[in-house]
């Protein structure tokens, strides 16, 4: 089965790509990692103006409705240009609020701000770990702790991360916004969306790493010829390309599944497809990072080279919102031993 974007979706992705190419995102990423959020926030506002965050927000709150395929198109480009900030978490928080429904007027406050880019929101499910992404920068962080949803507007010290632009911190407990089984059910769906969009980001990161590495091996020479002409190099890059080509339809296919399940009112039915996409995209991006590091030689190890921004992000996205082992376990759960 082939999953092809229609003309409007494809043009949306190209438009975002052109916008981000002109935004000097490497400089924004470096500033973000150093604690200066101003350049990244400027990129954030441009993304909101292009309608990216509105794709996760219902029309009555200023969005375009929940459009999973368009969200994936967007997040592939966000990965391709290494956009910093809690972009995945903001979209997941919008889904969380929508699935919860009545949360004491919370939706009326935050979802219009998310769609317009007036609020940078983070989200963490504490069942997955104690840290929230970019909580020190976000206007609010939604924390799910068991069957309780809290809103925190502060954070503890930023913790070291394999990707310096992914600033992780613990959050203090905030005001209780909702509690009960509905919170846990909504969080499960929000986690799946976070996993899907992380897979889309990883796909974009892998594509960028492959493109930059192919361009480099065409220019670098040994023994008077470009190293890209060596069979070993060709085979290494071909393996990366195949991994990315295999992952791409899984990511878009999962988005189609999510869209169908959402319309049918069975929003949690696409979890296995999302887990498959996350494994494939995360591993493909990681393979692209390893190949890029090796084929760039000593240059690949330098922080000054922009390539390092994508290499580090690939490593982090591989485990974010579901490690390969966790996702594989969801696809192929351990068999239950027969009882006698």
């Amino acid at each position: 089965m082939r999953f092809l974007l229609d003309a409007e979706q494809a043009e949306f992705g190209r438009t975002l790509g052109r916008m981000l190419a002109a935004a000097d995102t490497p400089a924004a990423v470096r500033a973000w990692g150093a604690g200066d959020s101003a350049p990244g926030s400027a990129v954030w506002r441009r993304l909101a103006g292009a309608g990216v965050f509105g794709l996760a927000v219902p029309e009555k709150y200023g969005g375009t409705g929940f459009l999973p395929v368009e969200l994936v198109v967007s997040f592939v480009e966000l990965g391709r240009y290494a956009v910093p900030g809690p972009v995945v978490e903001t979209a997941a928080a919008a889904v969380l609020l929508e699935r919860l429904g009545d949360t004491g007027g919370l939706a009326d406050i935050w979802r219009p701000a998310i769609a317009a880019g007036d609020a940078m929101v983070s989200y963490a499910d504490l069942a997955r770990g104690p840290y929230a992404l970019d909580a020190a920068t976000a206007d609010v962080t939604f924390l799910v702790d068991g069957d309780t949803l809290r809103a925190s507007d502060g954070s503890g010290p930023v913790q070291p991360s394999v990707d310096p632009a992914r600033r992780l911190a613990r959050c203090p407990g905030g005001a209780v916004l909702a509690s009960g089984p509905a919170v846990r059910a909504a969080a499960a769906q929000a986690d799946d969306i976070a996993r899907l969009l992380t897979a889309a980001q990883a796909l974009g990161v892998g594509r960028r790493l492959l493109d930059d590495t192919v361009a480099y091996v065409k220019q670098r020479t040994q023994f008077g010829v470009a190293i890209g002409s060596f069979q070993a190099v060709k085979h290494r890059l071909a393996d990366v390309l195949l991994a990315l080509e295999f992952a791409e339809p899984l990511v878009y296919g999962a988005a189609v599944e999510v869209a169908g399940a959402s319309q049918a009112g069975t929003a949690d039915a696409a979890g296995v497809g999302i887990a498959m996409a996350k494994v494939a995209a995360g591993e493909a991006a990681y393979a692209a990072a390893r190949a890029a590091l090796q084929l760039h030689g000593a240059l690949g190890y330098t922080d000054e080279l922009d390539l390092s921004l994508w290499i580090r992000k690939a490593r982090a996205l591989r485990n974010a919102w579901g490690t390969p082992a966790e996702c594989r376990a969801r696809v192929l759960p351990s068999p239950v031993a027969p009882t006698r």
Side-chain angles (χ1 to χ4, degrees):
M1 184 178 293
R2 300 177 68 194
F3 297 98
L4 298 177
L5 300 177
D6 63 30
E8 186 174 348
Q9 292 165 336
E11 181 56 29
F12 178 52
R14 287 191 292 267
T15 300
L16 279 180
R18 289 191 292 268
M19 183 188 77
L20 291 171
D24 193 11
T25 53
V29 174
R30 294 185 188 282
W32 195 277
D36 177 8
S37 63
S41 295
V43 175
W44 188 283
R45 289 190 292 272
R46 295 183 69 179
L47 290 172
V52 170
F53 301 115
L55 296 170
V57 177
E59 291 184 36
K60 65 179 179 179
Y61 296 111
T64 56
F66 181 50
L67 300 175
V69 176
E70 285 76 5
L71 274 170
V72 164
V73 171
S74 302
F75 277 76
V76 169
E77 296 305 315
L78 267 58
R80 194 187 304 272
Y81 290 94
V83 172
V87 287
V88 164
E89 289 70 20
T90 292
V95 171
L96 175 75
L97 296 177
E98 174 64 17
R99 297 296 185 262
L100 276 176
D102 182 16
T103 53
L106 183 67
D108 295 333
I109 297 172
W110 287 109
R111 278 187 286 184
I114 290 173
D118 295 332
M120 185 178 292
V121 173
S122 191
Y123 161 67
D125 184 345
L126 299 185
R128 305 196 56 80
Y131 299 109
L133 180 65
D134 293 314
T137 306
D139 297 293
V140 65
T141 299
F142 294 107
L143 301 172
V144 172
D145 187 1
D147 61 358
T148 301
L149 172 65
R150 299 178 182 272
S152 174
D153 59 0
S155 74
V158 174
Q159 303 298 310
S161 171
V162 66
D163 177 4
R166 291 178 61 84
R167 296 168 59 81
L168 303 169
R170 293 178 185 267
C171 293
V176 175
L177 304 175
S179 60
V183 171
R184 186 68 259 156
Q189 295 174 24
D191 291 0
D192 273 346
I193 297 305
R195 192 171 293 117
L196 173 62
L197 299 184
T198 300
Q201 268 193 309
L203 183 62
V205 167
R207 290 289 189 189
R208 177 60 178 265
L209 285 165
L210 179 61
D211 289 346
D212 286 356
T213 306
V214 168
Y216 179 74
V217 299
K218 289 180 179 179
Q219 298 172 0
R220 181 184 169 191
T221 60
Q222 284 185 359
F223 311 114
V225 297
I227 65 170
S229 65
F230 300 160
Q231 285 295 320
V233 173
K234 290 180 179 180
H235 290 168
R236 185 72 183 272
L237 293 175
D239 287 343
V240 172
L241 176 61
L242 285 174
L244 291 167
E245 290 289 311
F246 178 76
E248 184 171 284
L250 290 177
V251 173
Y252 283 109
V256 171
E257 272 193 279
V258 171
S262 180
Q263 292 174 0
T266 56
D268 59 345
V272 171
I274 292 172
M276 291 171 60
K278 177 63 168 59
V279 171
E283 297 289 49
Y286 188 56
R290 289 169 61 93
L293 184 64
Q294 181 182 27
L295 295 178
H296 276 79
L299 281 174
Y301 289 90
T302 61
D303 286 340
E304 291 77 9
L305 187 69
D306 285 346
L307 184 84
S308 67
L309 305 178
W310 280 269
I311 289 175
R312 289 177 169 179
K313 189 168 290 293
R315 174 79 176 272
L317 293 178
R318 183 179 183 234
N319 291 329
W321 292 105
T323 64
E326 290 171 338
C327 291
R328 288 188 177 102
R330 188 164 185 182
V331 176
L332 297 171
S334 299
V336 178
T339 58
R340 295 187 179 182

